Amino acid sequence: MKFEFLKEISKTWLNKTVPFPVPDPHKLQGHCVQFIRWVLQKYLKLPQWKANPGAADFWFAYDKDPAINKYWERIPDTPDFIPKEGDIVFWNKNMGGGFGHVAIIYGDDQTVRYFYSIESNWKPLVVTVVRHNYNNVLGFFRPRNRVTKPVCKQFEDMSA
């Protein structure tokens, strides 16, 4: 699957604040979610997920939100799972001041010990590429076309 837009984001927005689709982008709380919302809107042209109190809550809202479960497969973190570029990773509420954290897997250098993601709010209010371990990771949302046929036109051209 091709996620060339992630390279564009890293070239254009690294160490900068992106123009978020939802108001109040300068509040630290929820900034990582704003980044995901921006990617969903600007690059993937997918519906916005229903509002939730924190990033980790999207993981738990999976079954109740068709904007999530129609387009994404939910994959729990396991010791042998290796994410792929474009997967969305969720941390539990031990992170992010009790709200969790969310980011997008970036690049092809992922292992069972670490992964790289592009995100906002790991370093406050700017886009960064970060190498993470799997501590406190709940799991991943993967675009459904990696599992079945594409469910929307935006995914049709992203074949591996």
Side-chain angles (χ1 to χ4, degrees):
M1 185 172 267
K2 298 175 185 172
F3 288 92
E4 294 300 320
F5 70 87
L6 293 174
K7 290 177 182 60
E8 177 188 327
I9 291 171
S10 72
K11 286 181 185 177
T12 306
W13 295 103
L14 204 62
N15 297 314
K16 298 178 184 172
T17 301
V18 297
F20 296 110
V22 180
D24 298 324
H26 299 292
K27 291 184 177 178
L28 207 57
Q29 180 179 334
H31 208 261
C32 59
V33 171
Q34 290 280 34
F35 179 73
I36 299 300
R37 288 188 178 286
W38 179 72
V39 169
L40 288 173
Q41 176 181 299
K42 180 171 176 61
Y43 293 98
L44 296 178
K45 310 294 189 226
L46 290 173
Q48 289 293 320
W49 302 342
K50 293 178 183 176
N52 277 292
D57 296 305
F58 290 101
W59 176 261
F60 299 109
Y62 179 85
D63 292 329
K64 297 175 187 168
D65 188 347
I68 300 172
N69 62 46
K70 181 177 178 183
Y71 300 100
W72 303 90
E73 176 191 19
R74 182 171 61 177
I75 305 169
D77 184 36
T78 61
D80 59 343
F81 180 78
I82 298 174
K84 295 181 181 179
E85 183 172 60
D87 289 355
I88 298 179
V89 57
F90 293 86
W91 283 262
N92 65 29
K93 292 185 177 189
N94 290 330
M95 306 299 291
F99 293 96
H101 186 62
V102 62
I104 302 173
I105 301 300
Y106 181 67
D108 296 324
D109 187 22
Q110 321 310 329
T111 74
V112 294
R113 290 188 208 147
Y114 64 85
F115 60 87
Y116 288 91
S117 61
I118 190 165
E119 58 203 86
S120 186
N121 202 25
W122 194 257
K123 292 183 179 179
L125 303 178
V126 296
V127 175
T128 55
V129 174
V130 182
R131 179 179 160 162
H132 291 283
N133 60 37
Y134 290 85
N135 293 348
N136 296 302
V137 168
L138 291 165
F140 304 83
F141 287 176
R142 174 168 288 167
R144 282 212 175 268
N145 68 318
R146 287 189 174 162
V147 181
T148 60
K149 65 181 183 176
V151 293
C152 68
K153 179 141 179 61
Q154 288 74 23
F155 286 151
E156 287 177 7
D157 299 325
M158 294 183 179
S159 57

